[in-house]
Amino acid sequence: MKETETGIEITLEIVCGKWKGLILWKLLHENPMRFNQLRREIDGEISSRILSRELRKLTDDGLIERIDYEMVPPKVEYRITPYGKTTASFLASMNEWGLEHKRMSTSKKEMARLINKKTQDELC
Amino acid sequence: MKETETGIEITLEIVCGKWKGLILWKLLHENPMRFNQLRREIDGEISSRILSRELRKLTDDGLIERIDYEMVPPKVEYRITPYGKTTASFLASMNEWGLEHKRMSTSKKEMARLINKKTQDELC
DNA sequence: ACAAGTACTTACAATTTTGTTACTATTCTA
DNA sequence: TAGAATAGTAACAAAATTGTAAGTACTTGT
């Protein structure tokens, strides 16, 4: 009877939090990436400890893989797996929505007021 | 030079956490809803305190609105705003992804193994 | 008369997430 | 010879999120 059981919970489990979505998004666009490279390129400065943790979570979930070249100084690459690549579907629409609503106004509340008002006007 | 600035952060700010995505998703499918009705219909049991908080956040962000009928016993309806409706775009793809990867396997890790392995085989 | 339902709120506590700082061993560069 | 870079980890702390229990004022049903 329920045709709208929620896959959203499942997706949120993976992508939720401040960083995991961003990391996946980065790796979707530039595939193997090294640790510090990721650190630098993620906007908003992530600490190495946090990045390390998030990467491990993503690895445990099979979305990315860790390739350790076992050299000194260390070289480790992270690359998105085929499974990880499937997240592109929803990450792309999340990104689009975000960009759209950033372009239109800096303030979320302002934005909401505008859209809501506009549609109200149309109804009259 | 950057054409992949991230709207994802913005979207995550709104939809992140355990509940906000689910609440929006519910309201997208059954529009005005009362407080306890929402509480009952959200899988995984949300406490009234949490629901109340999440609803206020969504209201503050202009995604839903609160209609208080000012009667006793109290009757309050929550309905999604036009702005809130725009979230359907990404919520739908999140839902789809989640369902797909729930159907295919109960365990995320198992799932990852299968997909990753399959693609590897194809490459050989 | 009593329980249950309405939409919450308050006070408190546990849990999770996120962060900072300092440190490792080694190599390359100035 | 000093400093930077590599990919982290350990110890610790703050902040955010989520939760529980109890209560409000009133009505409806048994």
Side-chain angles (χ1 to χ4, degrees), chain A residues 18-19 47 49-50 53 72:
Chain A
K18 213 167 157 187
W19 303 112
S47 72
R49 191 208 157 196
I50 302 300
R53 267 175 81 134
V72 150

Side-chain angles (χ1 to χ4, degrees), chain B residues 25-124:
Chain B
W25 190 242
K26 274 284 171 210
L27 283 172
L28 277 167
H29 288 277
E30 191 176 343
N31 198 353
M33 269 193 144
R34 298 179 64 178
F35 187 86
N36 280 328
Q37 189 187 4
L38 262 169
R39 234 194 116 182
R40 272 183 251 108
E41 291 197 19
I42 285 176
D43 344 347
E45 279 305 288
I46 184 172
S47 73
S48 59
R49 191 210 158 195
I50 302 299
L51 180 54
S52 170
R53 267 176 80 132
E54 299 303 301
L55 287 171
R56 194 163 31 229
K57 282 183 210 161
L58 289 170
T59 308
D60 287 348
D61 282 345
L63 295 155
I64 65 177
E65 59 181 338
R66 198 187 106 108
I67 296 136
D68 190 339
Y69 288 87
E70 313 215 359
M71 29 166 67
V72 150
K75 176 174 177 185
V76 178
E77 273 181 0
Y78 291 90
R79 69 176 65 202
I80 202 157
T81 62
Y83 178 48
K85 277 181 188 159
T86 65
T87 61
S89 60
F90 65 84
L91 285 175
S93 29
M94 288 176 75
N95 191 53
E96 231 173 284
W97 190 88
L99 287 181
E100 205 146 314
H101 294 276
K102 182 194 196 178
R103 256 201 301 281
M104 287 157 90
S105 159
T106 25
S107 140
K108 265 181 292 178
K109 286 171 197 172
E110 180 69 4
M111 170 82 268
R113 249 194 352 91
L114 285 173
I115 291 197
N116 293 337
K117 182 155 187 319
K118 195 175 131 220
T119 324
Q120 219 163 39
D121 291 349
E122 277 159 13
L123 291 173
C124 296

Side-chain angles (χ1 to χ4, degrees), chain A residues 77-89:
Chain A
E77 274 181 0
Y78 290 90
R79 68 177 66 203
I80 204 158
T81 63
Y83 177 47
K85 276 181 189 159
T86 64
T87 62
S89 59

